[in-house]
Amino acid sequence: MCAHSIIGNTIGLAFLVTNYVIYAMDGIGLPIILAFGEFIRALADMLFMYMCLVLARGLNVTKMRLTTFDKFFLVIMFFVFILSYLAMQFWEIKYFDPAMVFAKSESLPGYLLALWRLTAWVFFVIACQLSKNDSPTKASFFTSFALLMTPWFWAPPIFVIVANFFLNNWVRAEVVNIVENCVTFYGYIVFLYLSRPSDNNQNFPFHIRTTQVDVDTGFDPQTAYQQNTAETNINDGMHGVMEMTARNKGGVHAVSEEVDRGIIERPQISSS
């Protein structure tokens, strides 16, 4: 989801640059390209926020499925975002004076989007705390995740107020655009920093093993995601495991199965 969000933001930014290059040459630009680029970037930000929220709830870190409340809340948030964004576009077309330069955030839907972002932050912080309580071994990740991502949630709403009340009209849209790009870049950098697969990264959250992708059989979030540091293999809480040993008895192979081990052992085939 992070990669898709980055790609979407890059494509949207390419549309915006194309529009402004044409605008610099003919003074008109391509309004359709501009609107399409802004919409793609908004969806990319929405996707990244969705990723942050489901990760805060521990998806693929402490659990394999979201609760019904989590799904309901995320669906409501998504529809509120879409409706607010479309209302902001309509507000700009219907009520903004073309002779003056306005930022889109200077409208009732713009304030609603800012409020929506703060509401998402409240859910984000609560979700991180609950996930940290459910899995103390991941406490360092969820604490760092909540602290470092809080500026990403708060910066746009705060700057909307600053821009609308303290900046002149002719610089408002430009400065808002700069801040939004910086905030977007900050969010990507923080997530990639926390999730980098490095030995010295104590916050790395993902320790799922390849045998734990099946969500329909006995998943235990308290043990399944923990790193196995013991020398002996234990049951990972996810699968009963078959240990196969082949014995050649007159050309017939007998296979024995054991279900309480943490690995599958394959028979050794001698060169003879």
Side-chain angles (χ1 to χ4, degrees):
M1 286 189 286
C2 181
H4 291 163
S5 178
I6 293 175
I7 293 173
N9 253 304
T10 303
I11 294 175
L13 187 61
F15 278 112
L16 296 184
V17 171
T18 301
N19 168 76
Y20 288 125
V21 168
I22 298 176
Y23 179 82
M25 294 187 295
D26 62 9
I28 299 176
L30 295 174
I32 295 179
I33 295 296
L34 176 63
F36 192 59
E38 291 177 342
F39 184 70
I40 292 177
R41 296 194 69 196
L43 288 180
D45 287 340
M46 176 64 186
L47 178 61
F48 185 74
M49 182 177 292
Y50 174 81
M51 183 205 70
C52 291
L53 294 179
V54 297
L55 187 58
R57 282 299 293 132
L59 187 66
N60 290 340
V61 178
T62 63
K63 63 175 63 175
M64 295 289 285
R65 288 178 174 176
L66 296 176
T67 64
T68 302
F69 173 78
D70 296 333
K71 295 177 181 178
F72 177 78
F73 178 82
L74 292 173
V75 169
I76 294 298
M77 293 287 287
F78 178 79
F79 278 107
V80 169
F81 169 79
I82 294 296
L83 293 177
S84 299
Y85 186 83
L86 294 177
M88 188 167 58
Q89 297 291 339
F90 174 79
W91 192 286
E92 179 187 16
I93 296 173
K94 186 69 175 177
Y95 297 105
F96 281 5
D97 186 355
M100 302 181 67
V101 178
F102 284 93
K104 291 184 178 181
S105 58
E106 191 177 357
S107 62
L108 181 60
Y111 288 112
L112 182 60
L113 282 176
L115 180 62
W116 168 85
R117 196 177 184 102
L118 295 180
T119 303
W121 172 79
V122 173
F123 178 85
F124 172 76
V125 173
I126 295 176
C128 284
Q129 184 62 40
L130 293 176
S131 298
K132 184 172 66 173
N133 294 338
D134 292 339
S135 180
T137 59
K138 302 295 182 182
S140 61
F141 166 75
F142 287 111
T143 300
S144 300
F145 191 44
L147 292 177
L148 293 178
M149 287 303 297
T150 292
W152 185 83
F153 282 92
W154 274 87
I158 291 177
F159 199 77
V160 163
I161 298 176
V162 173
N164 292 344
F165 292 97
F166 297 99
L167 294 181
N168 294 322
N169 290 342
W170 56 87
V171 299
R172 189 172 299 161
E174 177 183 1
V175 176
V176 168
N177 182 55
I178 293 174
V179 172
E180 287 179 350
N181 280 285
C182 292
V183 170
T184 299
F185 181 75
Y186 170 82
Y188 292 145
I189 291 297
V190 166
F191 173 73
L192 294 176
Y193 173 77
L194 290 177
S195 61
R196 71 191 190 281
S198 174
D199 291 339
N200 60 355
N201 182 15
Q202 301 299 322
N203 294 316
F204 185 74
F206 308 110
H207 293 104
I208 184 172
R209 293 187 288 272
T210 55
T211 57
Q212 295 171 338
V213 294
D214 184 3
V215 298
D216 294 327
T217 54
F219 175 72
D220 182 5
Q222 297 299 327
T223 60
Y225 286 95
Q226 296 177 3
Q227 301 182 63
N228 186 6
T229 56
E231 295 182 358
T232 58
N233 295 300
I234 60 174
N235 186 0
D236 60 4
M238 190 65 182
H239 291 81
V241 177
M242 296 184 298
E243 180 189 48
M244 295 184 174
T245 58
R247 295 188 300 271
N248 193 340
K249 295 183 178 179
V252 178
H253 294 273
V255 179
S256 62
E257 298 182 356
E258 296 182 1
V259 297
D260 287 327
R261 300 290 302 281
I263 59 172
I264 295 179
E265 297 181 357
R266 293 183 174 86
Q268 299 293 327
I269 301 177
S270 62
S271 59
S272 60

